[in-house]
C-alpha cells in the first residue's frame, strides 16, 4: 500500500480549490482552508458540474457554480439546495510540502 501524491501545497493558496486525478482516472477537488487540506469528488452530486473549475470556496463550504448548491468539504454533507446527496470525501494529509491521499484511500480507488 502506498500513498498517492496529489499536488504541492504551494500550488494551493489558502481559500482556493485545486484538482488532481486518482490512478483510476477519477478527478477530485482539493481545498485549502487555513492550513488544512480536504478533498472530495470533483463532480457535484446534483448535476454535471466541476467543483474545482466552477465552484467557489467560502470557509469550509464549497458552492457549486451551476445551481449554487453547497457542501461541507470536511464531511461531504450537502448543506444547501438543490444538493441533497453528500459528496464523497477523501482523507488527505500534508507531508514535506506535498498533499497526499492517504494510503487506504489510494488502495480503495486503485480498483
Ligand atoms: S450541478 Fe451543482 S448544484 Fe446543480
Amino acid at each position: 500500500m502506498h500513498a498517492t501524491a496529489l499536488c504541492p501545497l504551494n500550488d494551493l493558496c489558502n481559500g482556493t480549490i485545486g484538482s488532481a486525478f486518482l490512478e483510476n482516472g477519477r478527478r477530485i477537488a482539493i481545498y485549502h482552508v487555513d492550513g488544512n487540506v480536504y478533498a472530495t469528488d470533483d463532480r457535484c452530486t446534483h448535476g454535471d458540474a466541476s467543483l474545482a473549475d466552477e465552484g467557489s470556496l467560502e470557509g469550509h463550504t464549497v458552492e457549486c457554480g451551476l445551481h449554487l448548491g453547497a457542501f461541507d468539504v470536511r464531511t461531504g454533507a450537502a448543506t444547501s439546495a438543490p444538493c441533497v446527496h453528500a459528496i464523497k470525501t477523501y482523507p488527505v494529509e500534508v507531508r514535506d510540502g506535498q498533499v497526499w491521499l492517504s494510503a487506504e484511500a489510494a488502495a480503495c480507488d486503485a480498483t
Side-chain angles (χ1 to χ4, degrees):
M1 210 182 306
H2 66 283
T4 301
L6 297 176
C7 66
L9 183 61
N10 281 345
D11 287 358
L12 205 58
C13 295
N14 187 32
T16 63
I17 310 171
S19 67
F21 286 94
L22 303 182
E23 289 176 11
N24 63 6
R26 193 175 192 114
R27 189 179 191 215
I28 62 172
I30 308 166
Y31 313 90
H32 184 181
V33 183
D34 297 333
N36 295 307
V37 179
Y38 307 91
T40 70
D41 270 338
D42 177 54
R43 188 66 44 196
C44 180
T45 60
H46 177 249
D48 190 23
S50 162
L51 295 173
D53 293 342
E54 304 169 59
S56 59
L57 186 61
E58 186 71 42
H60 291 102
T61 299
V62 60
E63 184 179 78
C64 177
L66 196 51
H67 306 113
L68 309 183
F71 303 93
D72 186 318
V73 300
R74 296 168 293 188
T75 63
T79 57
S80 182
C83 298
V84 292
H85 300 293
I87 198 163
K88 180 176 170 58
T89 59
Y90 298 85
V92 291
E93 61 192 29
V94 177
R95 221 177 336 113
D96 303 326
Q98 185 80 24
V99 180
W100 297 83
L101 186 69
S102 78
E104 305 82 60
C108 289
D109 284 301
T111 56

